[in-house]
């Protein structure tokens, strides 16, 4: 996943506010009509992110949709770089020269709920309810079959001002994982740690007992990146920490119906004290708090020796390139949540979709444009449209299962098998990829064919599937703050965005300072100053807004 660095969020929040004040298909699918809307060919301007090896204007799937729905596409594109993509979208809105359709990817950039409400009142964006009812039977079916998706898409007034993507990726839902070098454990005669103190013992052994066998003290016991974050995995052994990556919203939780900010709790301080003690012993790579994923991977792919013992990350390919000759990529296995001193062993959870919308029609779209666009999306909601849109042509990007093939979820009938791209061949400008992940239900994703050997490169998805079972159900449901259900009013949305950005940035920096020793976690004076700083940034007001929104559910 690509995430938006927090240091960019304040600038984008301000820009967003400025903009707001201006202007072989499954038999269960219903096939939308392929005929053109009245008037012939539709000229549709589309704002969309484009991958490094894509050209949406000339992609095969673009031609498929153009022929099927009589659409002449004109794309305005961004990269997958979240910050510039969001900024370019905001500028397009502020200028008034915006497209007929915004077709976005949620983990790159999308409309937030405040934007949807504000722009709908201004008449800039259009409600989709009638279009869906008249022209999109597959979208209607998905909304009815998945109440969570319908709730996510529907504003308090009952209107759908844009559709979010729904990508129910099981392994993505549990992002705060810990992966450890099992080959090092075996060499040192150690078992995978189950408690925080067992973890300390393992990391000490990685540091001092030369597990890579080169006679040098070059081992890095534990590393990570700014995108994946060290703290959440360990904090969940002391207190529920809903954060799991840089993209996750703030550390709010519920305590018997009361909204609670976790980083001011006593147990949070205990968690910081533990992580600070690991850092003080040299068991955590200092670069874990500053390096991006490229920096982490450079250490994982170190040419001379394996030097990284463990990392907090979504999946091991973030650390090491798959298919290496020395087999190091097969050595990393997931460690379940650790049990802390009080018996706590939580994990974080990320919903299948996030609040907001990635398919948004504007008032620049004519009736003919609107009909063509919603029919196009309705086709993407079918298995046929989804497969061809995300993976490409049958026989090129995917193929039908063969006898004996096993689905990722062995209880499901196999639906498709991805065909790996030839790394030595030029990229195929075929599919739209993540742009089409609107109906990626868990059943769809888990019906893909996967080898039963989890260490085969082709069986990587099964490896992640099996690893995630170690975390499933460890999230404390009673404490989970349902941010995905809240629609903040336009009167407080801007204030909330500013408060959230300032508070999150402050907590991130202060946590780093406590862990690295710049602030003394054992000093009551330093802790009190930290709490006072949060109050000065408006934490009481922020909690008041969130509590009122929660109470209104």
């Amino acid at each position: 996943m690509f995430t938006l660095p927090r240091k960019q969020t304040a600038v984008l929040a301000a820009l967003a506010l400025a903009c707001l004040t201006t202007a072989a298909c499954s038999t269960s699918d219903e096939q939308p009509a392929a005929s053109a809307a009245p008037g012939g060919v539709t000229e549709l301007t589309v704002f969309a992110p484009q991958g490094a090896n894509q050209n949406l204007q000339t992609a095969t799937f673009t031609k498929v949709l153009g022929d099927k729905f009589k659409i002449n596409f004109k794309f305005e594109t961004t990269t997958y770089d979240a910050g510039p993509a969001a900024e370019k979208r905001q500028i397009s809105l502020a200028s008034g020269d915006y497209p007929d359709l915004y077709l976005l990817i949620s983990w790159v950039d999308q409309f937030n709920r405040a934007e949807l409400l504000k722009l709908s009142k201004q008449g800039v964006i259009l409600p989709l309810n009638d279009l869906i009812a008249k022209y999109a039977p597959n979208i209607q079916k998905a909304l009815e079959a998945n109440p969570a998706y319908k709730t996510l898409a529907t504003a308090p007034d009952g209107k759908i001002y844009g559709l979010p993507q729904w990508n129910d990726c099981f392994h993505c839902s549990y992002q705060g994982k810990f992966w450890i070098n099992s080959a090092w454990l075996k060499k040192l005669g150690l078992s995978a740690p189950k408690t925080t103190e067992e973890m300390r013992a393992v990391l000490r052994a990685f540091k001092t007992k030369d597990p890579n066998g080169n006679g040098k003290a070059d081992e890095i016991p534990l590393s990570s990146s700014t995108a994946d974050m060290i703290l959440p995995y360990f904090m969940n052994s002391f207190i529920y920490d809903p954060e799991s990556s840089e993209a996750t919203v703030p550390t709010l939780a519920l305590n018997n119906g009361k909204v609670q900010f976790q980083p001011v709790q006593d147990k949070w301080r205990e968690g910081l004290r533990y992580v600070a003690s690991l850092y003080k012993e040299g068991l955590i790579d200092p670069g874990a708090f500053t390096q991006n994923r490229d920096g982490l991977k450079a250490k994982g792919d170190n040419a001379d020796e394996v030097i990284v013992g463990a990392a907090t990350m979504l999946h091991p390919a973030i650390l090491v390139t798959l298919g290496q000759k020395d087999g190091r990529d097969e050595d990393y296995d997931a460690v379940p949540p650790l049990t802390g001193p009080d018996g706590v062993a939580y994990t974080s959870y990320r919903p299948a979709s996030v609040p907001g919308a990635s398919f948004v029609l504007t008032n620049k779209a004519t009736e003919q444009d609107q009909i063509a666009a919603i029919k196009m999306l309705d086709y993407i909601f079918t298995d046929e449209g989804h497969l061809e849109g995300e993976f490409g042509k049958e026989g090129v990007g995917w193929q039908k299962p063969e006898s004996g093939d096993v689905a990722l979820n062995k209880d499901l009938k196999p639906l498709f098998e991805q065909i790996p791209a030839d790394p030595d061949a030029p990229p195929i400008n075929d599919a739209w990829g993540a742009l089409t992940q609107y109906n990626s239900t868990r059943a769809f994703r888990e019906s893909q064919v996967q080898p039963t050997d989890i260490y085969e490169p082709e069986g990587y998805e099964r490896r992640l599937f099996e690893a995630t079972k170690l975390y499933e159900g460890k999230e404390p449901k009673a404490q989970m703050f349902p941010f995905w259900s809240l629609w903040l009013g336009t009167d407080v949305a801007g204030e909330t965005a500013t408060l959230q950005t300032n508070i999150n940035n402050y907590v991130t920096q202060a946590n780093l300072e406590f862990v690295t020793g710049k602030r003394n976690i054992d000093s009551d004076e330093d802790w009190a100053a930290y709490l006072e700083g949060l109050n000065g940034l408006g934490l009481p007001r922020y909690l008041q807004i969130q509590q009122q929104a929660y109470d209104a559910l």
Side-chain angles (χ1 to χ4, degrees), residues 166-172 386 390-391 407-409 412 415-416 418 437 439-450 461:
W166 185 268
N167 185 20
D168 200 350
C169 167
F170 178 52
H171 85 86
C172 306
H386 189 171
E390 184 170 357
F391 306 118
L408 176 61
N409 184 334
L412 296 176
L415 176 65
F416 67 96
Q418 292 187 53
Q437 290 177 335
N439 198 24
S440 287
T441 63
R442 187 167 172 181
F444 176 88
R445 290 185 60 98
E446 293 178 11
S447 66
Q448 66 179 293
V449 172
Q450 282 282 291
E461 189 74 18

Side-chain angles (χ1 to χ4, degrees), residues 34-37 40-46 57 61-75 100-101 368-377 432:
S35 59
V41 175
T42 296
E43 300 284 338
L44 193 68
T45 58
V46 183
Q57 195 64 53
F61 190 60
T62 302
K63 187 176 187 307
V64 168
L65 294 176
D67 292 344
K68 194 173 186 67
F69 299 104
K70 301 298 185 288
I71 299 173
N72 184 13
F73 290 95
K74 181 180 179 182
F75 284 97
D100 303 321
L101 171 67
Q368 180 175 319
D369 296 336
Q370 296 169 36
I371 294 171
I374 204 70
K375 284 186 173 183
M376 173 194 77
L377 185 64
W432 279 11

Side-chain angles (χ1 to χ4, degrees), residues 303-316:
D304 297 326
E305 301 284 352
V306 177
I307 60 173
V308 179
T312 54
M313 55 192 170
L314 176 60
H315 57 86

Side-chain angles (χ1 to χ4, degrees), residues 245-458:
S245 75
E246 192 180 45
T248 315
V249 284
T251 43
L252 295 174
L254 292 177
N255 185 352
N256 294 319
K258 183 178 180 181
V259 180
Q260 178 173 286
F261 191 61
Q262 300 298 72
V264 301
Q265 309 303 318
D266 290 341
K267 293 297 181 182
W268 188 274
R269 186 180 181 185
E270 288 186 26
L272 286 176
R273 184 178 286 117
Y274 171 77
V275 179
S277 71
L278 298 181
Y279 186 87
K280 188 174 182 180
E281 288 191 53
L283 305 181
I284 300 177
D285 176 14
F289 302 100
T290 57
Q291 67 195 4
N292 60 19
R293 283 180 169 176
D294 290 337
L296 175 63
K297 198 161 195 174
K299 294 173 180 177
D301 282 347
N302 182 61
D304 297 326
E305 301 284 352
V306 177
I307 60 173
V308 179
T312 54
M313 55 192 170
L314 176 60
H315 57 86
I318 293 170
L319 173 67
V320 289
T321 300
L322 299 181
Q324 297 201 38
K325 291 181 179 180
D326 63 7
R328 70 177 68 183
D329 53 297
E330 300 177 11
D331 291 339
Y332 292 88
D333 292 299
V335 177
L338 299 173
T339 301
D342 295 331
V344 168
Y346 297 136
T347 193
S348 56
Y349 176 81
R350 185 179 187 272
S353 188
V354 292
S358 47
F359 178 94
V360 174
L361 278 168
T362 77
N363 59 0
K364 296 293 181 75
T366 65
E367 181 181 359
Q368 180 175 319
D369 296 336
Q370 296 169 36
I371 294 171
I374 204 70
K375 284 186 173 183
M376 173 194 77
L377 185 64
D378 194 60
Y379 176 64
I380 290 170
F381 267 72
T382 69
D383 286 346
E384 177 185 301
H386 189 171
L387 287 168
E388 192 163 359
E390 184 170 357
F391 306 118
K393 283 185 176 180
E394 182 180 356
V396 178
W398 67 280
Q399 60 191 15
K400 293 177 181 177
E402 298 179 354
S403 177
D405 283 342
V406 180
L408 176 61
N409 184 334
K410 295 178 181 178
D411 294 331
L412 296 176
K413 181 181 178 180
L415 176 65
F416 67 96
E417 180 178 8
Q418 292 187 53
I419 300 174
D422 182 351
D424 298 322
I428 301 173
N429 187 36
D430 192 16
W432 279 11
L435 277 173
T436 64
Q437 290 177 335
Y438 280 87
N439 198 24
S440 287
T441 63
R442 187 167 172 181
F444 176 88
R445 290 185 60 98
E446 293 178 11
S447 66
Q448 66 179 293
V449 172
Q450 282 282 291
T452 54
D453 182 350
I454 65 173
Y455 295 107
E456 282 186 43
E458 292 78 13

